[in-house]
Amino acid sequence: WLGYLSGAYSRKGATSQAVPAWAKRIYAIEKHEVISTALEELTQGLERLFGEKPITVLSGTDLADKQASHDPGIWIGTWAGNSLLAEAFSESERTAVHGEGFVIREDEELGRLFIGAETPQGVLYGTFHLLRELVLAQGSSSEADTSPNKWSHVIEQPRNALRMINQWDNVDGSIERGYAGRSIFYENGEFTQDIVRIRDYARLLASTGINAISINNVNVHQRETLFLTERFLSDVARVASAFRAYGIRLYLSANYASPMEIGGLLTADPLDEQVREWWNIQTAKVYAAIPDFGGYLIKADSENRPGPFTYNRDHADGANMLAEALRPFGGLVIWRCFVYNCKQDWRDRSTDRARAAYDHFKPLDGRFADNVILQIKNGPMDFQVREAVSPLFGAMEKTNQVLEFQITQEYTGQQRHLCYLIPQWKEVLDFDTYAKGQGSEVKCIADGSLYNRPHSGFAAVSNIGADTCWTGHPLAQANLYGYGRLAWNPELSSEEIADEWVRLTFGHDEEVVRLISGMLLDSLDIYENYTAPLGVGWMVNPDHHYGPNVDGYEYSKWGTYHFADCKGIGVDRTVQSGTGYTSQYHKENAERYENVTTCPDELLLFFHHVPYTHVLHSGKTVIQHIYDTHFKGAEQAQALAETWRKLEGKVDPEIFETVALRQDNQAEHAKEWRDMINTYFYRKSGIEDEQGRTIY
Ligand code: GCW
């Protein structure tokens, strides 16, 4: 979508816009790296839009100080750094935003436009906002959108303080769960020397409002453990400065066992004095190299990673030790809650992986230091196409929390299939936890407002790699873009985000916009239709997680079962007869899920074990639902491929070909899913398809 800034793609269908008087000159009289970035972006963007490079007026010149007060132009800056900007906005406008928020106002008479904020980051976000809206306005025929008055009242404040991206990149250049080529950060055990792509990435992220990034995999291997040491710190600092220019703060995933692996200590016990001291010293070294370092992201006692359990300590002990080391520098510990028994015996029916995060962390509420944030995956299992919302949201009043999404499509088609994830995330954000009565949606917990928490926000696993189009499937960019936009404003709709992204990326040809937006918006349902049914999850090949394999994880140690036999399917998570997981929700949700008659169809098999003949609210039996959705899903996948073919000649030929191939492949692969799932359940249940379609 940065094509709209750099002019990579031609924007077909754009209406021609008159050059506004203010677009000819930019006043940026403040010296700050991020303001310089904003100036650079604005200069390039306006030139691209209006075919004329604006003149820039910088600090200290006569123009800026005197003549400026009469000339048309755009003024960008902060209240403190630029008195003219402070005057241009009313007191109430200035106080309406803080931190990274911004205000845009136009003085039509004088032909001036002002982008003001409390911080340089706010100025940068205001700049991207202006450019985005100018491009979107090109596609609009309505007066209201193109008229300058549009700029009289823009006041934007990000809803979430932390808007973070997690890279799962390894220093050997591979990316865990990466589907878009090799890492842009590393190759062959070293940091890449080419900072250009990293800078482009910073730009891409900042244009959507992202303000934090962790640059290495949460599974920290031996060599990445050294990132905290002199061996790599100057490299880390180099990358940090590329992100700093775009207002993005750098974090590292750290290895909990670092004091042993690189510090030569015999323990990593969080209560051991030597261990604490080691972290204090090491952290001070990190800050000496990177004064605005964000902090540590930690995966501990999770999937064979080391953690405090080894020493009979809990997660609060572990996190607080790191918090102490980071506190003098204003750093944060982001501690992941993805903690469960990954060595379960499949014969053991009392252990339920879905329960694990809540069982581990809920009792620790109130014990975490104020610079610790718990990072909680959206669901209690693991980024399935459909699962319940994690009951940890709304369970910890006294703990900072961030919500973790997965942009990389590990379980949702691996960027070979089209799967626009925004509707899924919207459902999570709008989910009412009832933690403080009706209206306690997850988005109010993620943004910290429900419990008035000092730190909160969003984190998500990135989907980019060294691929030319960044994301493997070109349309998968919409997920990265949409994540940033939602983190800024969770009230935006899936439709609005799709429309924005398509217009910014492909231009304003109405047919193109309609077809691509339609494909995006239908894609999640389609994917769900032909994969694991009714919220049960998995049914994928072990390890790489691509493609159907109904029993792939059924008799394994990972706690991910569907329990299908000849009579029925599903996981009984009720209090009455199952694992008791439903009790982790507040009453309204607990009761709704506990009762098979009120449990929503789409989550039925997540919460209940039922016979194949169980009748859904839709009026269909479970088995007929499975057959119908799988036949339908495969047809829909075929239709997606055909829809895309209609765009030949209307989009960039290279992108056309790349997407066409992927859509054809998805259509074929959806048939594989359909047949594997249908045949499996036909053989298990012995029940015929009512419509007599071919089941092998
Ligand atoms: O989704 C699972 C993945 C692992 C990943 C883990 C996690 C980084 O299969 O590859 O490890 O989650 O979130 O830690």
Side-chain angles (χ1 to χ4, degrees):
W1 67 88
L2 271 189
Y4 81 90
L5 298 175
S6 56
Y9 312 126
S10 64
R11 285 184 314 281
K12 291 196 180 133
T15 57
S16 60
Q17 262 169 322
V19 187
W22 44 256
K24 297 188 174 160
R25 186 168 296 165
I26 307 170
Y27 298 93
I29 63 162
E30 238 169 307
K31 276 211 169 70
H32 189 285
E33 195 181 0
V34 175
I35 303 257
S36 304
T37 305
L39 173 64
E40 206 179 302
E41 290 293 346
L42 200 51
T43 310
Q44 275 185 46
L46 292 177
E47 183 179 8
R48 164 79 189 138
L49 274 162
F50 301 117
E52 224 176 282
K53 188 172 177 176
I55 302 163
T56 54
V57 184
L58 301 170
S59 155
T61 64
D62 277 358
L63 254 186
D65 294 341
K66 303 190 187 86
Q67 265 174 283
S69 49
H70 305 293
D71 285 345
I74 304 186
W75 290 78
I76 61 172
T78 64
W79 318 135
N82 187 330
S83 59
L84 198 124
L85 267 164
E87 285 160 27
F89 293 97
S90 67
E91 164 93 23
S92 68
E93 280 173 319
R94 272 180 279 130
T95 48
V97 292
H98 56 269
E100 296 171 353
F102 60 84
V103 195
I104 305 179
R105 201 175 69 72
E106 187 183 26
D107 181 336
E108 259 191 276
E109 242 165 73
L110 293 179
R112 304 166 112 202
L113 191 101
F114 304 95
I115 305 178
E118 192 184 27
T119 65
Q121 281 95 323
V123 175
L124 180 63
Y125 297 133
T127 300
F128 279 127
H129 181 96
L130 174 73
L131 291 172
R132 184 176 61 237
E133 292 300 321
L134 285 172
V135 175
L136 293 176
Q138 288 189 322
S140 170
S141 46
S142 104
E143 272 283 303
D145 276 352
T146 40
S147 92
N149 279 332
K150 189 173 159 57
W151 304 112
S152 52
H153 286 118
V154 179
I155 298 185
E156 285 265 334
Q157 181 68 42
R159 267 275 289 276
N160 293 287
L162 191 72
R163 303 179 300 279
M164 187 173 195
I165 283 286
N166 296 168
Q167 298 297 135
W168 282 0
D169 297 36
N170 302 312
V171 76
D172 65 5
S174 64
I175 303 178
E176 182 150 351
R177 312 305 177 189
Y179 311 106
R182 305 285 288 175
S183 172
I184 64 164
F185 292 89
Y186 318 104
E187 51 199 352
N188 305 322
E190 298 292 339
F191 278 67
T192 142
Q193 289 307 306
D194 177 13
I195 210 83
V196 175
R197 195 80 200 261
I198 295 176
R199 196 179 152 87
D200 281 349
Y201 187 39
R203 190 173 175 225
L204 205 58
L205 294 178
S207 76
T208 72
I210 296 299
N211 66 358
I213 187 166
S214 59
I215 58 162
N216 61 311
N217 190 355
V218 288
N219 292 324
V220 188
H221 310 111
Q222 208 178 6
R223 197 163 167 85
E224 292 89 353
T225 304
L226 295 171
F227 281 12
L228 301 183
T229 70
E230 273 164 21
R231 172 67 182 81
F232 283 114
L233 262 181
S234 58
D235 289 317
V236 180
R238 202 158 40 86
V239 174
S241 56
F243 283 107
R244 183 179 304 116
Y246 278 89
I248 299 171
R249 202 168 263 236
L250 183 136
Y251 291 67
L252 286 176
S253 296
N255 180 347
Y256 190 80
S258 298
M260 299 165 77
E261 288 193 23
I262 56 176
L265 300 183
L266 296 173
T267 174
D269 181 351
L271 300 191
D272 182 285
E273 270 317 312
Q274 271 188 306
V275 171
R276 300 175 82 87
E277 196 46 26
W278 186 87
W279 278 110
N280 292 345
I281 292 170
Q282 210 58 40
T283 303
K285 287 185 187 162
V286 174
Y287 277 91
I290 309 158
D292 60 348
F293 179 68
Y296 301 132
L297 172 62
I298 307 284
K299 172 174 179 177
D301 290 316
S302 164
E303 300 187 327
N304 308 312
R305 301 310 301 154
F309 285 169
T310 311
Y311 313 98
N312 274 327
R313 314 296 185 196
D314 60 30
H315 286 265
D317 297 326
N320 291 345
M321 167 191 64
L322 297 173
E324 188 183 290
L326 288 157
R327 180 172 299 110
F329 310 98
L332 299 174
V333 181
I334 305 183
W335 190 274
R336 295 177 85 232
C337 293
F338 187 56
V339 177
Y340 67 98
N341 179 0
C342 66
K343 298 200 174 88
Q344 192 179 331
D345 184 334
W346 60 269
R347 285 154 287 219
D348 161 20
R349 294 293 287 261
S350 64
T351 305
D352 178 4
R353 171 166 162 180
R355 290 191 59 124
Y358 182 103
D359 285 343
H360 282 296
F361 287 92
K362 160 88 180 159
L364 303 178
D365 188 28
R367 285 207 31 229
F368 290 97
D370 54 9
N371 58 332
V372 173
I373 314 184
L374 297 189
Q375 181 165 312
I376 307 166
K377 289 190 180 185
N378 63 267
M381 297 296 278
D382 193 9
F383 301 134
Q384 299 304 290
V385 65
R386 171 80 65 178
E387 60 178 290
V389 171
S390 171
L392 261 185
F393 295 111
M396 290 180 297
E397 296 183 29
K398 299 182 224 105
T399 306
N400 300 322
Q401 296 161 49
V402 288
L403 168 58
E404 177 177 343
F405 290 127
Q406 193 184 43
I407 313 175
T408 194
Q409 292 171 235
E410 176 176 2
Y411 294 99
T412 49
Q414 305 197 348
Q415 282 135 258
R416 299 199 225 172
H417 296 219
L418 180 62
C419 195
Y420 177 60
L421 293 164
I422 313 303
Q424 184 196 60
W425 300 340
K426 290 286 294 178
E427 270 193 55
V428 173
L429 293 167
D430 290 341
F431 179 78
D432 197 343
T433 66
Y434 291 94
K436 274 181 143 188
Q438 203 176 4
S440 309
E441 291 96 359
V442 168
K443 61 190 170 199
C444 309
I445 296 164
D447 72 10
S449 61
L450 193 74
Y451 296 126
N452 200 16
R453 299 303 316 166
H455 297 290
S456 56
F458 283 23
V461 186
S462 176
N463 64 347
I464 69 107
D467 261 20
T468 321
C469 79
W470 294 95
T471 50
H473 195 310
L475 302 190
Q477 278 187 14
N479 287 327
L480 183 63
Y481 177 83
Y483 166 71
R485 298 287 289 136
L486 267 190
W488 182 276
N489 178 10
E491 304 304 334
L492 289 172
S493 71
S494 303
E495 290 78 9
E496 283 169 315
I497 293 173
D499 185 77
E500 273 184 15
W501 179 78
V502 175
R503 287 176 187 279
L504 297 176
T505 307
F506 293 100
H508 300 290
D509 178 320
E510 287 308 321
E511 179 77 346
V512 172
V513 174
R514 191 177 59 81
L515 292 179
I516 303 182
S517 303
M519 287 176 71
L520 289 173
L521 290 165
D522 290 343
S523 59
L524 177 67
D525 286 347
I526 296 175
Y527 189 79
E528 182 173 11
N529 278 344
Y530 61 76
T531 56
L534 298 165
V536 78
W538 275 274
M539 302 192 171
V540 290
N541 284 303
D543 302 331
H544 58 71
H545 298 166
Y546 187 73
N549 184 344
V550 182
D551 283 338
Y553 273 108
E554 197 55 16
Y555 307 104
S556 73
K557 58 189 179 173
W558 297 94
T560 54
Y561 315 115
H562 54 67
F563 300 123
D565 60 18
C566 65
K567 300 197 196 82
I569 177 176
V571 190
D572 186 348
R573 295 197 158 105
T574 64
V575 171
Q576 203 192 346
S577 50
T579 69
Y581 165 81
T582 55
S583 69
Q584 294 184 342
Y585 292 93
H586 291 278
K587 189 166 158 279
E588 291 80 352
N589 289 322
E591 284 174 358
R592 193 160 60 100
Y593 292 142
E594 174 79 10
N595 187 334
V596 73
T597 60
T598 52
C599 183
D601 283 352
E602 67 275 10
L603 286 171
L604 183 71
L605 304 181
F606 188 90
F607 285 106
H608 296 273
H609 185 88
V610 296
Y612 294 109
T613 50
H614 174 90
V615 179
L616 298 166
H617 297 113
S618 68
K620 287 185 184 174
T621 59
V622 165
I623 190 73
Q624 195 56 42
H625 171 94
I626 293 176
Y627 296 152
D628 288 353
T629 49
H630 285 76
F631 282 115
K632 183 173 171 195
E635 276 169 27
Q636 290 172 309
Q638 182 61 44
L640 277 182
E642 287 160 18
T643 302
W644 180 259
R645 294 262 170 215
K646 293 186 193 151
L647 292 166
E648 184 154 23
K650 290 184 163 252
V651 297
D652 176 282
E654 210 178 307
I655 294 178
F656 175 80
E657 270 313 315
T658 312
V659 175
L661 279 177
R662 282 177 199 250
Q663 293 312 131
D664 289 350
N665 191 274
Q666 174 179 358
E668 265 320 293
H669 203 234
K671 289 184 200 145
E672 187 78 6
W673 269 100
R674 173 196 68 194
D675 294 336
M676 288 256 215
I677 300 273
N678 283 345
T679 297
Y680 180 96
F681 287 106
Y682 177 54
R683 289 183 187 171
K684 283 265 150 145
S685 69
I687 301 173
E688 302 282 342
D689 169 34
E690 280 170 5
Q691 296 189 43
R693 290 163 290 196
T694 306
I695 297 179
Y696 298 90

